[in-house]
Every structure is written in C-alpha cells, then in structure tokens.
Amino acid sequence: MVSRRGPLRRHGPPRKITKVPRFIRLVPAVLLSVALTACGGGVHGTPGGLGLHDPYFPRAGNGGYDVTHYDLTLAYDPAHRRLTGTAVITARATEDLSAFDLDLKGLDVAGVAVEGQGAHWNRAGQELTVRPRTDLDRGETFRTTVRYCGTPETITDPDGSKEGWLHTGDGALALGEPTGSMAWFPGNDHPSDKATYDIAITVPEGLRAVSNGEPTRETTRDGRTTYAWHTSEPMASYVAMVAIGHFAVTRSTLKNGLPVYVAVDRTQTEASREVTARIPEVMEWEETNFGAYPFSSAGVVIDREGAAGYALETQNRPVFPGAPDTETLVHELAHQWYGDSVTPESWRDMWLNEGFATYAEWLWREDHGGDTAQQTFDALYRGDYYGDPEQNKAIWAFPPAKPSGAAHVSDSPVYERGAMVLHKIRQTVGDDAFYDIIQGWAAAHRHGNASTAAFTAYVEKKAPRRDFGPIWRDWLYGDGKPERP
C-alpha cells in the first residue's frame, strides 16, 4: 500500500454494508422436502459466517471455508466498460456448511453452480450467498462457479483514494487494497485467506492485459486477444491485479535466473527507462538484506500517470501510476517479502507491511550515500523531517499497532512510526542480530499470515536476553510521542 503507496500515501477504507440475511431465496416446502429426501437425510450443516470480524472491516471475507485456487476467465470491452467473467473457486469447507457467502460488489450474477450443479443464491450488499443442493461436509473440497457481467465499480474510500476497477484512458486498472477485489471477481476478500490464481483476460486486439505471476498463453482470434497468467504461490486477494492498456512488456532475467516482467505504458517509456534499469540492483540489495526472494518472478507495471493515486505492492510486480523514483521502487519491492509473502493476519497488522517497507527506504538511503537510518529516526522524533509541521505531528496520532479506525490503517503512524519501532529493535540488538530477525521473520512466515503478537514473540525468542517491554509499550502500542527517543 504505498504499498501501496510510497510517497503517495493511501489510507484504508471502511465499508458500509447492509446486513445480509442468513437465508436465501425461498424454496417451496415440497420441493425442499424432495431435495432433502433425495440427499438421504436432513440438513446437518449451518450457513458459513458472514464476514471474518476483522477489527476494521468486519464484513470482509467469510467464514466456513478456505479458498485454495481462483480460476478467473475475464473479457473486457473498454469502449462500453463492460466486464464479463466466470470465476471457478476451489475451496475446502472448514465446517459443515448448508450455505456460504462470497464477496462481490456490483456486477450482475448470471448463475451459480457448486460441483457442477446449479445452486440457489441471493444478493445483499457485497454478499453473494450460495446454498448448494446438498450440504458440504467439513474437510470437503468443492468448486463453485459464478458467471457474472456488468460495469465494474470504482470504489471510493473514506480518505478519497480509489480502488476496485479504475478506468484509464486506454483500458483499466484493477486494484484491491483493502477491499477492492470484490469489484471484479467474487471471493473470500480478506488477507487471511490466500490462494493460487489463474487469470485469463480477453481484450480487443492491440491492447495488452497484464496480471500477477507468469504468462502462460497468448492467443488472438476474431479481433480479440487473450492473455493468461498463472500465480503458483499463495496470494491475498487484495494484491491481485489486472492492468489493461497499451503496454510494452519485456522479459529479462536476474543473475540468479529469476524472470523479470516489466510492463510500461507507452506514455511512460522514456520517463521509466532509468528506474526500471535499476530493478536488478534493487532486487540484489533486497535479497542481501531480507533473504531469498519468495516468488517465481518479479517486475513492475508502470501505467500512465493518474491511473491511480498511489503505488501498490501487487504480488510479483507492483503497480505505479507513472514512473516512480528509486526509493518508491525499493518500498514496493520490499513488500514482496513483507506484505505479499508474509501477509497480515488482519488489517490491524498493517504496520508489519508498511513499517518494514518504509524502513527498507531508510536502509537503502543509508547504504547509498544518504542519511543514515539513525538520522532519519532523529529527524522524525525532533519533528523537522517534513517541511509541514502538521505532517510531522501526524506521526504521533496513534500507535502503529492500533490504528484509530478503518480510514487510518495506512496513515503516517503505520508507516513512519512503524519503521521507528524496527529501528528501536535494531538499536537494542545490534545490526547482526537485527538482520537475523528480519530475514528469519520473512522465512518463518513465508507464504503465510502473521500478527503483531506473533512478531513480538518472534523478536523476544530471537533475543531472549534483551528487554523489549519499553519498545512494545511506548513505541508499538503507546499513545502519543514517547518521552525519550
């Protein structure tokens, strides 16, 4: 989110959603009785939970199942802004289910099937509630197919930033943090449920469609081209993306053989040439500092200016609205370790994304002739880091581990003060132990989810003779500016 964002800060949005009824469309009692008899017994499951009770986005995600794979087949007509999609969602039931919910905002549902059989469904707010013909048993793997179409929505967050399906001058850009992916595909839209993806996008010939992972197929027929991408490592829905436009896509490899895909909008070719040339250097530096790169490809997408109001750490290749500076590139690529591979358990844990990526900028500066991390820390503490006094004051608005609301999960305390927590750890343990901690943390939770409590426990385990109590109390969870730097 700068990780989205970098210098451009994006603030996480809340959602106002109407409570969804637990029961779906009414079925005549006789038909229901016949169906139950044919299935060999009465209902033994219950509806899956509506929302995962995230502290900031309580309706995000759904209970009762865990998604393992999304297979999305999309077709987009930019002239009419019309999206047609089929989503095949493979999931495992985590409890006996009589019904379950998917997150889908806007768009028209044409039909739903579970394991090839038509299922009853209804809509209420962002909830698509599905009732299979037969109950699902705990531990059962099942496939849900949703056919849908319409004009996908651009979602405006309370802070004014936009996500979901963003219309650009020559195509579209689909971004999902924190809850925008439900604007273009149905799913379990919460960072705690990661899955692999296949995304195929058909667009008018002459346009290109770029997504996460690696390209697997490109075919043209009857004036339309399909681009297929495969993501083999688990990915949270909020870092899934699609970019459609006039992109030049190049493939290269790093010294270690890792493929790098760079997609640049034709309006940004010259402006981005210098920064994209530094990708190998930045990647090598980040692997030295953070450990082995966690994914099977890297790269960037540089869309035209104004495509979005922020940069975002979409998995495998971050998205930038125009050519970024080097520090923003460092920030977003650092998120591949901290945010994309090690993903927050809930939106309360956002500082584990943004604090790490911001501190990566400090370390880059320190290693490349700029201010040391200590100098940056001191300037932030003194209150003269930014030219605007209000911006300096904003750092202390709330503790990084306790954002004051859904509209503030990407505010300055999460970024800068989150980075200050990491610097305090570094001061406490010394450089050697600090790099062991941040590399070990990325390795221990590779492709998983983690909470702030898990991080503090990990740090204490790695340095058992150190007292981290004051850091957690004053810097991570404490209100206001600590008395001493």
Side-chain angles (χ1 to χ4, degrees):
M1 291 168 177
V2 66
S3 72
R4 320 155 89 9
R5 328 171 179 6
L8 293 166
R9 298 292 187 231
R10 163 155 195 210
H11 313 290
R15 291 275 180 275
K16 250 188 180 172
I17 292 142
T18 306
K19 178 158 188 177
V20 180
R22 284 286 185 189
F23 300 100
I24 324 184
R25 67 173 61 168
L26 296 176
V27 180
V30 174
L31 293 181
L32 183 57
S33 174
V34 170
L36 293 176
T37 302
C39 296
V43 174
H44 66 275
T46 58
L50 192 163
L52 292 177
H53 309 294
D54 185 274
Y56 297 102
F57 303 96
R59 294 295 180 85
N62 301 284
Y65 64 93
D66 174 62
V67 178
T68 58
H69 186 71
Y70 290 94
D71 190 342
L72 307 178
T73 303
L74 310 174
Y76 186 61
D77 177 4
H80 299 93
R81 297 189 171 185
R82 183 172 179 80
L83 178 71
T84 302
T86 298
V88 180
I89 304 162
T90 303
R92 180 181 59 84
T94 56
E95 59 188 74
D96 294 337
L97 289 174
S98 61
F100 59 90
D101 282 26
L102 298 168
D103 297 307
L104 182 65
K105 186 173 177 61
L107 299 170
D108 299 316
V109 175
V112 180
V114 178
E115 286 296 289
Q117 294 187 314
H120 294 295
W121 55 272
N122 79 320
R123 305 286 299 278
Q126 73 181 46
E127 302 294 331
L128 169 61
T129 307
V130 179
R131 174 170 285 167
R133 290 192 182 184
T134 60
D135 285 6
L136 301 167
D137 296 328
R138 180 178 179 179
E140 178 180 353
T141 296
F142 63 98
R143 288 179 177 81
T144 303
T145 302
V146 182
R147 294 181 295 109
Y148 58 98
C149 61
T151 300
E153 294 186 17
T154 297
I155 298 170
T156 301
D157 295 333
D159 64 358
S161 59
K162 298 181 185 300
E163 61 183 74
W165 196 268
L166 309 177
H167 302 285
T168 61
D170 59 348
L173 178 61
L175 300 176
E177 185 174 308
T179 58
S181 68
M182 64 180 174
W184 56 285
F185 70 92
N188 200 19
D189 193 9
H190 189 267
S192 63
D193 192 359
K194 300 168 73 169
T196 57
Y197 282 71
D198 280 289
I199 302 178
I201 317 104
T202 300
V203 294
E205 187 176 1
L207 294 178
R208 296 191 73 101
V210 182
S211 190
N212 311 88
E214 296 79 53
T216 59
R217 175 170 52 92
E218 179 182 331
T219 57
T220 299
R221 181 179 178 182
D222 298 330
R224 296 179 69 78
T225 304
T226 299
Y227 299 90
W229 296 79
H230 174 69
T231 302
S232 58
E233 295 92 2
M235 178 167 70
S237 57
Y238 80 90
V239 287
M241 68 88 181
V242 167
I244 299 167
H246 290 99
F247 291 101
V249 180
T250 58
R251 183 189 186 280
S252 60
T253 57
L254 301 182
K255 292 177 183 178
N256 60 9
L258 184 77
V260 177
Y261 297 91
V262 173
V264 180
D265 183 270
R266 64 185 180 185
T267 66
Q268 300 300 309
T269 302
E270 289 303 318
S272 63
R273 198 180 304 279
E274 183 177 343
V275 71
T276 57
R278 300 197 74 173
I279 291 175
E281 175 191 1
V282 172
M283 286 292 295
E284 183 176 355
W285 178 85
E286 295 200 340
E287 284 202 285
T288 298
N289 285 275
F290 309 140
Y293 181 70
F295 300 117
S296 51
S297 68
V300 299
V301 175
I302 300 178
D303 210 330
R304 54 187 54 200
E305 291 183 346
Y310 49 86
L312 181 63
E313 71 276 20
T314 44
Q315 192 157 302
N316 299 97
R317 54 196 55 85
V319 169
F320 302 92
D325 59 30
T326 302
E327 285 192 8
T328 305
L329 177 68
V330 168
H331 181 113
E332 300 302 331
L333 288 178
H335 273 305
Q336 303 304 304
W337 284 261
Y338 309 107
D340 292 9
S341 177
V342 184
T343 301
E345 198 168 274
S346 80
W347 289 111
R348 178 176 285 159
D349 304 306
M350 269 289 284
W351 82 275
L352 291 173
N353 291 18
E354 301 304 345
F356 272 89
T358 300
Y359 200 65
E361 295 181 56
W362 297 11
L363 294 175
W364 173 270
R365 221 175 287 153
E366 182 174 87
D367 287 351
H368 292 81
D371 288 347
T372 65
Q374 184 65 53
Q375 288 172 321
T376 302
F377 178 97
D378 291 342
L380 287 166
Y381 186 82
R382 286 194 309 267
D384 57 12
Y385 182 78
Y386 295 107
D388 180 359
E390 290 302 313
Q391 200 169 358
N392 289 309
K393 183 180 177 182
I395 294 168
W396 312 107
F398 55 80
K402 293 194 302 181
S404 55
H408 304 291
V409 295
S410 294
D411 277 6
S412 180
V414 175
Y415 286 72
E416 280 78 20
R417 191 168 165 184
M420 295 175 89
V421 169
L422 295 176
H423 190 69
K424 292 297 293 183
I425 296 170
R426 182 183 176 189
Q427 287 178 322
T428 301
V429 302
D431 279 8
D432 288 346
F434 175 74
Y435 284 103
D436 285 345
I437 287 171
I438 62 173
Q439 291 179 16
W441 172 251
H445 295 277
R446 183 182 174 99
H447 302 317
N449 294 88
S451 66
T452 298
F455 177 72
T456 56
Y458 182 84
V459 172
E460 290 172 354
K461 181 179 178 181
K462 294 289 285 186
R465 294 181 178 84
R466 304 290 184 177
D467 179 13
F468 296 98
I471 299 176
W472 309 150
R473 182 188 65 239
D474 299 335
W475 292 88
L476 185 57
Y477 287 106
D479 292 319
K481 184 177 180 180
E483 289 185 8
R484 292 186 299 274

